[in-house]
Amino acid sequence: MGKKEEFEIIQHTTMNYLEIFLVEMTARSPHGHGDLEVGILLEGDLTLFTEFKQLELHAGDIYIINRYQIHSFLNKGGQNQILAFQIHPDFYRRIDYQLDLLRLDNSIIRSGELHKSLYQTLLSCAAIYFSSSAHNAIKCSSLVLDALYQLLTYTDYTITSEQESATAKNNSKRLNRITDYISEHYREHISLQDIAGLENITTYHASHFITQMLGISFQEYLNNIRFEHAFQLVDKSDLPILDICLETGFSSSRYLNQMFIKKLGCSVKEYRKKQEKPHLIGAALPTDNVQKRYSLEQAAFALSRYTLFPKHFSK
């Protein structure tokens, strides 16, 4: 059986080299892709993990994720909506080839004249993208280019070297393969040796790479995945603790209890007995992919609720 590569392939179905979509995000595990991503958090709150930073997003914030930049999302509770723009480099590098190596330095834009102007441009662009008006692709393209012009004019950016860009691409693809392998085999006994064998590198290199990309160790990331699945079974089923351990890869109920005490402040039995369930302690790196993506028709309807300058977005 061949190795499955989870490198995210962006499907550009409505327009060439551009996809705009509306999504409710619960969790998105660490990953990278070859598109520049710009998004507006229209509603709610989210935690964005990118490289070694943990950033809190609030309604109205505009976020930027560079090509091949490792990132993940985690819902902090309540509903949210992200309006995301994923822009393939062919969209803009034919105009200026240097932009193929573009890296924008700002991760979040949440105030000032740039925020107001960029928010308006992006929302207008999305409204046209989701419509069926004549020549909407041309108008939409012009607005995306205008948004890029604003970012290049009013924020800091770097034109990286080809070597840096190639390294980021390779790192992104490698991490996607590793996290995909872990998510498929977490129920089994897996080790750093398995990861090293998958990538044909040493265990030291594998350990260093995972810590460098995720900010946590291989074992901690694996335990987090096991805990997330175990937590769902504890919360939503009456399965005995031992069966849950066998189902999720924990070697013993003692170890699962240790994880519950660390993350919830109580044992599995205590958790099940509580009428008011405790919340998770801290924001762990997300390890699951749970999101609801709107159809074009649903997105068009949902977007119609937003004006260009909602009161709570004016900053």
Side-chain angles (χ1 to χ4, degrees):
M1 185 174 176
K3 290 185 287 188
K4 179 183 176 184
E5 184 176 307
E6 201 236 340
F7 185 60
E8 187 175 19
I9 304 298
I10 307 300
Q11 298 294 331
H12 301 277
T13 53
T14 302
M15 287 178 58
N16 289 332
Y17 311 122
L18 173 68
E19 184 168 19
I20 305 173
F21 56 91
L22 193 65
V23 62
E24 291 179 22
M25 184 70 67
T26 299
R28 182 66 172 95
S29 62
H31 67 290
H33 49 68
D35 285 0
L36 170 66
E37 181 172 339
V38 180
I40 303 173
L41 182 59
L42 293 173
E43 181 181 323
D45 299 288
L46 277 175
T47 300
L48 168 62
F49 298 86
T50 173
E51 295 166 340
F52 290 111
K53 293 184 288 186
Q54 179 178 318
L55 306 169
E56 301 305 323
L57 296 177
H58 309 290
D61 287 351
I62 298 171
Y63 70 84
I64 298 166
I65 296 167
N66 289 293
R67 298 182 65 206
Y68 306 118
Q69 186 174 19
I70 304 303
H71 60 284
S72 56
F73 291 98
L74 183 65
N75 185 5
K76 295 178 67 67
Q79 287 190 319
N80 62 70
Q81 286 185 335
I82 296 176
L83 179 63
F85 297 69
Q86 291 182 329
I87 310 165
H88 191 279
D90 279 350
F91 186 89
Y92 49 80
R93 67 180 166 198
R94 294 179 181 185
I95 300 171
D96 184 345
Y97 189 74
Q98 277 195 105
L99 296 183
D100 187 39
L101 303 173
L102 172 68
R103 184 179 179 88
L104 295 162
D105 296 339
N106 293 49
S107 298
I108 302 178
I109 300 169
R110 54 168 48 114
S111 63
E113 290 303 315
L114 174 61
H115 175 272
K116 290 181 181 179
S117 176
L118 191 59
Y119 178 88
Q120 176 179 351
T121 301
L122 293 173
L123 201 64
S124 298
C125 179
I128 293 166
Y129 182 93
F130 296 137
S131 76
S132 56
S133 58
H135 313 300
N136 62 346
I138 293 174
K139 182 60 176 177
C140 190
S141 296
S142 71
L143 289 170
V144 172
L145 289 173
D146 185 28
L148 290 172
Y149 174 80
Q150 292 178 49
L151 289 170
L152 291 169
T153 303
Y154 300 110
T155 67
D156 296 327
Y157 67 90
T158 305
I159 301 298
T160 65
S161 67
E162 290 188 6
Q163 182 177 353
E164 288 175 311
S165 179
T167 298
K169 178 179 180 179
N170 291 335
N171 285 346
S172 177
K173 295 175 80 171
R174 169 167 283 174
L175 183 71
N176 288 339
R177 287 194 299 269
I178 289 172
T179 54
D180 182 69
Y181 181 87
I182 295 172
S183 69
E184 286 186 2
H185 298 277
Y186 71 90
R187 295 181 181 88
E188 308 162 21
H189 175 73
I190 58 175
S191 66
L192 265 176
Q193 284 82 358
D194 298 311
I195 302 301
L198 177 74
E199 292 299 312
N200 197 27
I201 56 179
T202 66
T203 54
Y204 173 81
H205 189 175
S207 175
H208 178 74
F209 176 81
I210 292 171
T211 303
Q212 181 185 38
M213 291 292 105
L214 299 179
I216 59 176
S217 69
F218 160 76
Q219 195 62 52
E220 188 174 354
Y221 184 75
L222 174 60
N223 288 342
N224 284 344
I225 287 182
R226 288 171 170 167
F227 173 79
E228 287 296 328
H229 289 277
F231 175 72
Q232 293 301 318
L233 290 174
V234 168
D235 195 42
K236 298 185 177 4
S237 78
D238 295 322
L239 279 175
I241 297 175
L242 183 58
D243 288 351
I244 291 173
C245 290
L246 293 172
E247 182 68 23
T248 57
F250 280 105
S251 57
S252 69
S253 57
R254 182 176 64 85
Y255 196 57
L256 177 58
N257 272 313
Q258 287 177 354
M259 291 288 290
F260 259 74
I261 291 168
K262 177 182 176 181
K263 292 182 176 291
L264 291 158
C266 60
S267 69
V268 176
K269 283 185 177 180
E270 289 168 342
Y271 178 85
R272 280 180 159 171
K273 288 178 181 178
K274 288 180 182 291
Q275 293 296 319
E276 188 173 338
K277 304 298 186 186
H279 296 292
L280 290 168
I281 300 169
L285 192 68
T287 57
D288 205 357
N289 298 320
V290 183
Q291 52 191 315
K292 174 191 173 184
R293 188 153 163 168
Y294 288 55
S295 68
L296 289 177
E297 294 76 15
Q298 290 171 331
F301 178 77
L303 202 63
S304 67
R305 297 189 296 113
Y306 296 93
T307 62
L308 292 182
F309 296 108
K311 290 181 181 179
H312 65 287
F313 289 179
S314 300
K315 301 181 181 183

Coordinates of all heavy atoms in Angstrom, one line a residue, residues 4 6 8 23-32 71-74 176 179-180 183-184 221 225 228-229 285-293:
K4 N 0.2 7.7 1.6 CA -0.8 8.8 1.2 C -0.2 10.1 1.6 O 0.2 10.3 2.7 CB -2.1 8.5 2.0 CG -3.2 9.6 1.7 CD -4.4 9.3 2.5 CE -5.4 10.4 2.3 NZ -6.6 10.2 3.2
E6 N -0.9 14.0 2.3 CA -2.1 14.9 2.6 C -1.8 16.3 2.3 O -2.4 17.3 2.7 CB -2.5 14.8 4.1 CG -3.9 15.2 4.4 CD -4.0 16.3 5.5 OE1 -3.0 16.4 6.2 OE2 -5.0 16.9 5.5
E8 N -2.1 19.7 0.9 CA -3.5 20.2 0.6 C -3.5 20.7 -0.8 O -2.8 21.6 -1.2 CB -3.8 21.3 1.6 CG -5.3 21.8 1.4 CD -5.7 22.8 2.4 OE1 -4.8 23.4 3.0 OE2 -6.9 23.0 2.6
V23 N -16.7 29.4 5.5 CA -16.6 28.2 6.3 C -16.8 28.4 7.8 O -16.4 29.5 8.3 CB -15.2 27.5 6.1 CG1 -14.1 28.4 6.5 CG2 -15.1 26.1 6.7
E24 N -17.5 27.5 8.5 CA -17.5 27.5 9.9 C -16.4 26.6 10.4 O -16.4 25.4 10.0 CB -18.9 27.0 10.4 CG -20.0 28.0 10.2 CD -21.3 27.5 10.7 OE1 -21.3 26.6 11.6 OE2 -22.4 27.9 10.1
M25 N -15.6 27.0 11.3 CA -14.4 26.3 11.7 C -14.5 25.8 13.1 O -14.7 26.6 14.0 CB -13.1 27.1 11.5 CG -11.8 26.4 11.8 SD -11.4 25.2 10.5 CE -11.1 26.2 9.1
T26 N -14.4 24.5 13.3 CA -14.2 24.0 14.6 C -12.8 23.7 14.9 O -12.2 24.1 15.9 CB -15.0 22.7 14.8 OG1 -16.4 23.0 14.6 CG2 -14.9 22.1 16.2
A27 N -12.1 23.0 14.0 CA -10.7 22.7 14.2 C -10.1 22.4 12.8 O -10.7 21.7 12.0 CB -10.4 21.6 15.2
R28 N -8.8 22.8 12.6 CA -8.1 22.4 11.4 C -6.7 22.1 11.9 O -6.0 23.0 12.4 CB -8.1 23.5 10.4 CG -7.4 23.2 9.1 CD -8.1 22.0 8.3 NE -7.5 21.8 7.0 CZ -6.6 20.9 6.7 NH1 -6.1 20.1 7.7 NH2 -6.2 20.7 5.5
S29 N -6.2 20.9 11.7 CA -4.9 20.4 12.1 C -3.8 21.1 11.4 O -4.0 21.7 10.3 CB -4.8 18.9 12.0 OG -4.9 18.6 10.6
P30 N -2.6 21.1 11.9 CA -1.5 21.8 11.2 C -1.2 21.3 9.8 O -1.2 20.1 9.5 CB -0.3 21.5 12.1 CG -0.8 21.2 13.4 CD -2.1 20.6 13.2
H31 N -1.1 22.3 8.8 CA -0.9 21.9 7.4 C -0.4 23.1 6.7 O -0.3 24.2 7.2 CB -2.3 21.5 6.8 CG -3.3 22.6 6.7 ND1 -3.9 23.2 7.8 CD2 -3.8 23.3 5.7 CE1 -4.7 24.1 7.5 NE2 -4.6 24.2 6.1
G32 N 0.0 22.9 5.5 CA 0.4 24.0 4.6 C -0.1 23.8 3.2 O -0.4 22.7 2.9
H71 N 0.1 26.2 9.4 CA -0.9 26.9 10.2 C -2.0 25.9 10.6 O -2.2 24.9 10.0 CB -1.5 28.1 9.5 CG -2.2 27.7 8.2 ND1 -1.5 27.4 7.1 CD2 -3.5 27.6 7.9 CE1 -2.3 27.1 6.1 NE2 -3.6 27.2 6.6
S72 N -2.8 26.3 11.7 CA -3.9 25.5 12.1 C -4.9 26.5 12.8 O -4.5 27.6 13.2 CB -3.5 24.4 13.0 OG -2.8 24.9 14.1
F73 N -6.2 26.0 12.9 CA -7.2 26.8 13.6 C -7.9 26.0 14.7 O -8.0 24.8 14.6 CB -8.3 27.2 12.6 CG -7.8 28.2 11.5 CD1 -7.5 27.7 10.2 CD2 -7.8 29.6 11.8 CE1 -7.1 28.6 9.3 CE2 -7.5 30.5 10.8 CZ -7.1 30.0 9.5
L74 N -8.3 26.7 15.7 CA -9.1 26.1 16.8 C -10.2 27.0 17.3 O -9.9 28.2 17.6 CB -8.2 25.8 18.0 CG -8.8 25.0 19.2 CD1 -9.3 23.6 18.7 CD2 -7.8 24.9 20.3
N176 N 2.9 17.6 6.2 CA 1.6 17.1 5.9 C 1.6 15.5 5.8 O 0.6 14.9 6.2 CB 1.1 17.7 4.6 CG 0.7 19.1 4.7 OD1 0.4 19.6 5.8 ND2 0.7 19.9 3.6
T179 N 1.8 14.3 9.6 CA 0.6 14.4 10.4 C -0.5 13.5 9.9 O -1.3 13.0 10.6 CB 0.1 15.9 10.4 OG1 0.0 16.4 9.1 CG2 1.1 16.7 11.2
D180 N -0.5 13.3 8.5 CA -1.5 12.4 7.9 C -1.2 11.0 8.4 O -2.1 10.2 8.7 CB -1.4 12.5 6.4 CG -2.4 11.6 5.7 OD1 -3.6 11.9 5.8 OD2 -2.0 10.5 5.1
S183 N -2.4 10.6 12.0 CA -3.8 10.6 12.1 C -4.4 9.2 11.7 O -5.5 8.8 12.2 CB -4.5 11.7 11.4 OG -4.3 11.5 10.0
E184 N -3.7 8.5 10.8 CA -4.2 7.2 10.3 C -3.8 6.1 11.2 O -4.5 5.1 11.3 CB -3.6 7.0 8.9 CG -4.2 7.8 7.8 CD -3.7 7.3 6.4 OE1 -2.9 6.4 6.3 OE2 -4.2 8.0 5.4
Y221 N 2.3 15.5 20.4 CA 1.3 15.6 19.3 C 0.5 14.3 19.2 O -0.7 14.4 19.1 CB 2.0 15.9 18.0 CG 1.0 16.2 16.9 CD1 0.3 17.4 16.8 CD2 0.8 15.2 15.9 CE1 -0.6 17.6 15.7 CE2 -0.1 15.4 14.9 CZ -0.8 16.6 14.8 OH -1.7 16.8 13.8
I225 N -3.7 13.7 19.8 CA -4.6 13.1 18.9 C -5.4 12.0 19.6 O -6.6 11.9 19.5 CB -3.9 12.5 17.7 CG1 -3.4 13.7 16.8 CG2 -4.8 11.6 16.9 CD1 -2.7 13.2 15.5
E228 N -7.9 13.5 22.0 CA -9.1 14.1 21.4 C -10.1 13.0 21.0 O -11.4 13.2 21.2 CB -8.7 14.8 20.1 CG -8.0 16.2 20.3 CD -8.9 17.2 21.0 OE1 -10.1 17.2 20.8 OE2 -8.4 18.0 21.8
H229 N -9.7 11.9 20.5 CA -10.6 10.8 20.2 C -11.1 10.1 21.4 O -12.3 9.8 21.5 CB -9.9 9.8 19.3 CG -9.6 10.3 17.9 ND1 -10.5 10.2 16.9 CD2 -8.5 10.8 17.4 CE1 -10.0 10.8 15.8 NE2 -8.8 11.1 16.1
L285 N -2.7 22.5 20.6 CA -2.6 22.5 19.2 C -3.7 21.6 18.6 O -3.7 20.4 19.0 CB -1.2 22.1 18.7 CG -0.8 22.3 17.3 CD1 -0.6 23.8 17.0 CD2 0.5 21.5 17.0
P286 N -4.5 22.1 17.7 CA -5.6 21.2 17.1 C -5.0 20.0 16.4 O -4.0 20.1 15.7 CB -6.3 22.1 16.2 CG -5.4 23.3 15.9 CD -4.5 23.4 17.1
T287 N -5.7 18.9 16.5 CA -5.2 17.7 15.8 C -6.3 17.1 15.0 O -6.1 16.0 14.4 CB -4.8 16.6 16.9 OG1 -5.9 16.4 17.8 CG2 -3.6 17.1 17.7
D288 N -7.4 17.7 14.8 CA -8.5 17.2 14.1 C -9.0 18.1 13.0 O -8.6 19.3 13.0 CB -9.7 16.9 15.0 CG -10.6 15.8 14.5 OD1 -10.4 15.3 13.4 OD2 -11.6 15.4 15.2
N289 N -9.8 17.7 12.0 CA -10.3 18.5 11.0 C -11.8 18.5 11.0 O -12.4 17.5 10.6 CB -9.8 18.0 9.6 CG -8.3 18.1 9.5 OD1 -7.7 19.1 9.9 ND2 -7.7 17.1 8.8
V290 N -12.4 19.5 11.6 CA -13.8 19.6 11.7 C -14.3 21.0 11.2 O -14.0 22.0 11.9 CB -14.3 19.4 13.2 CG1 -15.9 19.4 13.2 CG2 -13.8 18.1 13.7
Q291 N -15.0 21.0 10.1 CA -15.4 22.3 9.6 C -16.6 22.1 8.7 O -16.8 21.0 8.1 CB -14.2 23.0 8.8 CG -13.6 22.1 7.7 CD -12.3 22.7 7.2 OE1 -12.3 23.9 6.9 NE2 -11.3 21.9 7.0
K292 N -17.4 23.2 8.5 CA -18.6 23.1 7.7 C -18.4 24.2 6.6 O -18.3 25.4 6.9 CB -19.8 23.4 8.5 CG -21.1 23.5 7.6 CD -22.2 24.1 8.4 CE -23.4 24.3 7.4 NZ -24.6 24.9 8.1
R293 N -18.3 23.7 5.3 CA -18.1 24.6 4.2 C -19.4 24.9 3.5 O -20.2 24.0 3.2 CB -17.1 24.0 3.3 CG -16.6 24.9 2.1 CD -15.2 24.5 1.7 NE -14.9 25.1 0.4 CZ -13.7 25.1 -0.1 NH1 -12.7 24.6 0.6 NH2 -13.5 25.6 -1.3

